[in-house]
């Protein structure tokens, strides 16, 4: 067993080393223990000099994004009861209407086309699904994309049937240079003003409103950039790209940013789609702020022919004030710092090897062989014995 | 804003406070983990996982954390132990990917030398028992006092003093053995 004096002198020497006292001087002040402590203090110096000042670049940002995503996912799951109830009521009403419609007409609404009786039901269900996804921007975007694709497929079907219906759909604009303008395979008929606007938008993801003609083309009345409204938490700022609740959005010098923003803030973004995967933010504002949104949504980019009607740019945003005050204090139980509780969780989640090992079993110094197991150390035997001692020897 | 304030607001799902809490405490956890693990990716993963575990606790009703720093280090220590257990069953060759490390104020030469020392210490640390590694990481990466270390390790101050003594002696032996074998 080690004499306590030694450990005391070592502790004092370490304190001096930390304070910047040179090793020689520290050893000189160790008296009779100097020779014994010299190798230990050298090792301590190596430990000190090996200190790694900072985490790798990017690691903090990646971890923060993961942390915030986990927190957001958790709080979405833990919505206050009444909030869930509110959605449940909405959903129940929709389902009742839908069930009634289906009862009389079968599953026809799924393939309903504009102008057909069940079409409004189909759209109502879509609106409900979007509203339910309001707390998850990535899911909401996926839904919007799939609904855009539906609108285009409907328009295409109407064009094949030559049925003159008013349609609204979105897709990437292609054509020009003598070729007909098309969106999602639909040929567009446009007057000169719209043609001129289209010249500035080739390849852009646009929204089209118009009338299907007997020849299968669409007579366009409105052609404009399709705007996406994105609400979420700013999780990572990677220079030219921001991660908003799981969705990456490009930020350029042209993007109007309301004010310097920090990770964790709730923001609203108006974005356009550059390609299948990429979005470009036009404006970013705090969720509660009055924004530049209106300026952008009555856009310079919009070109209308008959300007009269149906701005169907769906205002699909649903307010998401999940509040979160509900978790306040009930009876609290302290989670032990050493991770006893966390430790149990640890073992439950993703630590398959730990099995029954709870709290402090894994590295108990009291059992030399356990220590060896943990580290797989071929350590020179006496180290294991050493370890067995502290609690015996110095425990009290 | 104090850590306690941040924690209180974080429990109410204030995302900004959560982000600030994370950024403030990340270096603390990373430093501890980097003393105990060589593999850069594993360090990053375990540090990040420690914070994800924190989310779980923050969301659990009726639970509170008295000492957040200690809780984080304790959780990181458990994750490191789990990592070693897995690695013990599935040994991997040591990866040494340090190209992404920030160099801080050092010249390239100094940075290279520091990395060399860090690697040597890391290799030697692997030869210590879990508790020996834990005590050295706590005392040197966190600069915790004896009392704080004792509280965190659930040992007496005397036991920590003795453990620290033996850990340094074992580290020195391991460094010497490595020196001889090279």
């Amino acid at each position: 067993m080690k004499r306590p004096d030694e450990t005391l002198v070592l502790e004092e020497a370490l304190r001096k080393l930390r304070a910047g006292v040179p090793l020689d001087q520290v050893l000189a002040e160790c008296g009779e223990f100097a020779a014994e402590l010299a190798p230990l203090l050298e090792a301590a110096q190596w430990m000190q000099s090996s200190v790694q000042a900072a985490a790798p670049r990017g690691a903090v940002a990646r971890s923060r994004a993961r942390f915030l995503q986990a927190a957001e996912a958790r709080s979405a799951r833990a919505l206050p009861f009444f909030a869930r109830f509110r959605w449940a009521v909405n959903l129940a009403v929709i389902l009742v209407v839908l069930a009634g419609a289906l009862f009389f007409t079968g599953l026809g609404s799924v393939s309903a086309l504009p102008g057909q009786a069940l079409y409004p039901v189909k759209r109502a269900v879509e609106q409900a699904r979007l509203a339910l996804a309001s707390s998850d921007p990535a899911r909401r975007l996926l839904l919007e994309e799939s609904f855009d694709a539906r609108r285009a497929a409907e328009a295409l079907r109407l064009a094949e049937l030559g049925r003159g219906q008013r349609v609204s759909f979105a897709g990437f604009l292609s054509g020009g240079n003598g070729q007909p303008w098309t969106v999602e395979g639909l040929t567009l008929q446009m007057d000169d003003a719209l043609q001129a606007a289209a010249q500035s938008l080739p390849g852009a993801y646009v929204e089209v409103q118009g009338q299907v003609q007997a020849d299968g083309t669409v007579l366009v009345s409105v052609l404009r950039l399709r705007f996406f409204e994105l609400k979420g938490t700013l999780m990572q700022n990677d220079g030219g790209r921001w991660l908003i609740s799981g969705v990456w959005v490009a930020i350029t010098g042209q993007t109007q940013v309301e004010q310097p923003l920090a990770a964790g803030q709730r923001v609203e973004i108006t974005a356009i789609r550059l390609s299948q995967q990429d979005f470009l933010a036009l404006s970013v504002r705090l969720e509660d702020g009055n924004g530049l949104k209106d300026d952008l949504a009555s856009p310079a980019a919009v070109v209308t022919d008959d300007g009269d009607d149906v701005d169907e740019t769906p205002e699909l945003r649903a307010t998401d004030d999940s509040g979160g005050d509900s978790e306040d204090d009930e009876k609290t139980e302290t989670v032990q710092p050493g991770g006893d509780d966390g430790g149990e969780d640890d073992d439950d989640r993703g630590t398959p090897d730990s099995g029954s090992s709870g709290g402090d079993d894994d590295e108990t110094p009291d059992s030399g062989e356990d220590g060896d197991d943990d580290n797989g150390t071929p350590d020179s035997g006496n180290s294991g014995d050493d370890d067995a001692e502290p609690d015996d020897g110095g425990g009290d | 804003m104090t850590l306690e304030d941040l924690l209180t607001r974080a429990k109410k799902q204030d995302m900004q406070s959560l982000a600030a809490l994370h950024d403030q405490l990340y270096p603390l956890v990373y430093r501890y983990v980097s003393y105990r693990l060589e593999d850069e990716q594993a360090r990053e993963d375990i540090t990040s996982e420690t914070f994800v575990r924190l989310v779980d606790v923050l969301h659990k009703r009726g639970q509170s954390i008295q000492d957040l720093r200690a809780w984080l280090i304790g959780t990181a220590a458990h994750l490191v132990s789990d990592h070693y257990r897995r690695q013990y069953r599935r040994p991997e060759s040591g990866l040494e990917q340090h190209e992404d490390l920030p160099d801080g104020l050092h010249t390239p030469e100094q940075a290279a030398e520091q990395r060399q020392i860090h690697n040597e210490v890391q290799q030697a640390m692997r030869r210590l028992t879990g508790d020996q590694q834990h005590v050295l990481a706590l005392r040197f990466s966190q600069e915790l006092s004896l009392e704080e270390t004792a509280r965190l390790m659930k040992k007496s101050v005397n036991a920590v003093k003795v453990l620290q003594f033996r850990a340094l002696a074992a580290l020195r032996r391991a460094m010497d053995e490595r020196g001889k074998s090279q």
Side-chain angles (χ1 to χ4, degrees):
Chain A
M1 191 171 96
K2 301 284 175 192
R3 282 168 293 150
D5 308 11
E6 262 170 355
T7 60
L8 202 65
V9 177
L10 173 65
E11 178 58 25
E12 181 59 18
L14 288 175
R15 192 189 58 73
K16 289 175 189 164
L17 272 187
R18 258 188 221 116
V21 180
L23 180 60
D24 292 346
Q25 190 181 328
V26 173
L27 281 172
E29 293 168 6
C30 286
E32 57 176 308
F33 296 106
E36 189 178 0
L37 293 186
L40 275 64
L41 290 174
E42 277 174 13
Q45 273 201 318
W46 293 328
M47 282 292 287
Q48 272 178 338
S49 60
S50 85
V51 74
Q52 196 169 310
R57 283 181 286 274
V60 185
R62 284 190 290 275
S63 174
R64 187 200 307 118
R66 191 178 163 214
F67 178 60
L68 293 178
Q69 271 180 312
E72 202 167 61
R74 276 301 207 124
S75 60
R77 265 184 278 158
L79 268 179
F81 175 75
F82 62 85
R84 268 179 286 173
F85 186 68
R86 188 182 63 194
W87 289 118
V89 169
N90 289 346
L91 188 60
V93 169
I94 289 160
L95 287 178
V96 166
V97 171
L98 181 63
L102 290 179
F103 180 77
F104 290 109
T105 59
L107 291 167
S109 80
V110 175
S111 55
L113 293 172
Q116 292 182 333
L118 286 182
Y119 192 69
V121 176
K122 179 180 180 179
R123 295 298 294 267
V125 172
E126 289 178 1
Q127 298 289 322
R129 290 181 66 191
L130 281 169
L132 284 169
S134 63
S135 62
D136 182 349
R139 195 169 134 238
R140 191 186 158 91
L141 269 184
L142 277 177
L143 279 177
E144 287 197 50
E145 284 171 22
S146 75
F147 295 156
D148 277 357
R150 274 192 194 179
R151 296 293 84 76
E154 287 163 8
L156 207 54
R157 180 76 186 128
L158 287 170
E160 284 167 5
L161 296 171
R163 203 180 286 169
Q165 273 294 330
R166 196 156 179 79
V167 288
S168 171
F169 56 94
F172 290 103
L173 177 68
S174 55
N177 292 328
Q179 297 297 314
W181 289 101
T182 62
V183 168
E184 299 296 309
L186 285 151
T187 305
L188 309 182
Q189 279 188 47
M190 296 187 283
D191 64 16
D192 291 346
L194 287 167
Q195 294 258 10
Q199 292 293 349
S200 64
L201 297 172
Y205 194 78
V206 295
E207 187 179 337
V208 178
Q209 291 173 22
Q211 184 91 19
V212 175
Q213 304 296 295
D215 62 359
T217 62
V218 176
L219 181 60
V220 179
S221 55
V222 175
L223 176 74
R224 63 183 170 194
L225 280 172
R226 164 84 155 91
F227 292 99
F228 290 85
E229 294 296 324
L230 191 63
K231 272 184 172 184
T233 304
L234 173 58
M235 294 178 166
Q236 193 171 337
N237 178 346
D238 191 9
R241 292 193 318 155
W242 288 6
L243 182 62
I244 312 291
S245 290
V247 180
W248 283 102
V249 180
I251 305 287
T252 70
Q254 307 300 314
T255 304
Q256 291 176 275
V257 181
E258 202 173 53
Q259 63 188 81
L261 297 169
Q265 282 183 313
R266 295 277 305 172
V267 293
E268 290 180 33
I269 288 189
T270 302
I272 56 171
R273 193 171 178 185
L274 296 179
S275 68
Q276 208 69 26
Q277 304 295 333
D278 300 317
F279 291 88
L280 170 70
L282 301 177
S283 77
V284 184
R285 59 212 168 265
L286 286 174
E287 192 172 48
D288 297 325
N290 336 310
L292 310 156
K293 181 183 62 176
D294 290 343
D295 302 334
L296 284 159
S298 54
V302 175
V303 181
T304 60
D305 189 26
D306 55 5
D308 50 1
D309 52 3
V310 267
D311 184 347
E312 284 193 15
T313 310
E315 274 301 322
L316 299 174
R317 283 169 294 124
T319 44
D320 175 30
D321 45 25
S322 43
D325 277 341
S326 70
E327 299 230 345
D328 276 337
D329 322 306
E330 296 171 358
K331 189 172 144 224
T332 54
E333 168 199 334
T334 300
V335 183
Q336 285 305 314
D340 270 350
D341 225 78
E344 277 168 32
D345 269 2
D346 295 355
D347 293 338
D348 291 340
R349 307 178 32 194
T351 53
D353 301 335
S354 46
S356 61
S357 63
D360 41 15
D361 57 343
D362 34 341
E363 296 182 357
T364 23
D366 313 294
S367 57
E369 70 280 11
D370 200 5
D372 283 347
D373 272 359
D374 275 354
N375 298 290
T377 42
D379 205 8
S380 55
N382 59 347
S383 154
D385 292 346
D386 279 356
D387 259 349
E389 282 180 38
D391 278 352
D392 304 339
D396 289 316
Chain B
M1 195 179 293
T2 66
L3 205 54
E4 286 68 32
D5 293 337
L6 280 178
L7 185 60
T8 307
R9 295 178 65 162
K11 278 185 83 73
K12 294 179 179 171
Q13 306 313 309
D14 179 300
M15 287 294 185
Q16 265 184 281
S17 301
L18 279 166
L21 195 70
H22 171 275
D23 290 4
Q24 202 168 318
L25 294 168
Y26 188 94
L28 171 114
V29 180
Y30 186 83
R31 260 202 317 275
Y32 171 82
V33 173
S34 71
Y35 258 109
R36 300 209 47 197
L37 291 173
E38 273 180 275
D39 180 10
E40 188 55 47
Q41 189 58 51
R43 287 176 186 169
E44 188 179 328
D45 290 347
I46 284 178
T47 309
S48 175
E49 179 63 21
T50 302
F51 283 94
V52 172
R53 300 280 169 105
L54 176 62
V55 170
D56 291 345
V57 177
L58 291 178
H59 276 81
K60 272 187 191 158
R61 282 168 179 271
Q63 287 198 341
S64 70
I65 297 176
Q66 280 203 323
D67 183 342
L68 184 55
R69 286 191 180 87
W71 187 90
L72 286 169
I73 297 294
T75 301
H78 278 277
L79 291 171
V80 168
S81 300
D82 285 341
H83 175 80
Y84 276 136
R85 262 197 292 272
R86 278 195 297 273
Q87 209 178 37
Y88 185 63
R89 295 186 181 183
R90 258 186 307 111
E92 294 165 10
S93 59
L95 299 173
E96 298 185 4
Q97 305 166 333
H98 298 296
E99 71 278 4
D100 197 28
L101 296 183
D103 293 336
L105 301 172
H106 299 289
T107 63
E109 292 76 22
Q110 285 172 322
E113 191 183 343
Q114 193 186 3
R115 276 177 203 158
Q116 179 66 25
I117 293 174
H118 189 73
N119 288 346
E120 292 289 325
V121 171
Q122 284 291 324
Q123 297 283 342
M125 282 275 277
R126 295 285 301 274
R127 299 174 62 86
L128 309 190
T129 66
D131 252 17
Q132 287 175 340
Q133 293 181 38
H134 194 32
V135 78
L136 291 184
L138 290 175
R139 300 285 342 256
F140 287 90
S141 76
Q142 308 299 312
E143 299 193 355
L144 294 185
S145 69
L146 276 178
E147 289 73 20
E148 289 169 319
T149 308
R151 213 167 36 242
L152 209 145
M153 294 187 76
K154 295 177 187 159
K155 291 181 183 298
S156 71
V157 170
N158 277 338
V160 169
K161 270 195 266 182
V162 175
L163 182 61
Q164 171 179 259
F165 188 99
R166 287 172 183 152
L168 278 173
L171 181 72
R172 178 62 199 235
R173 274 199 303 278
M175 299 277 284
D176 289 345
E177 281 166 20
R178 279 186 58 77
K180 279 181 205 158
S181 66
Q182 280 176 354

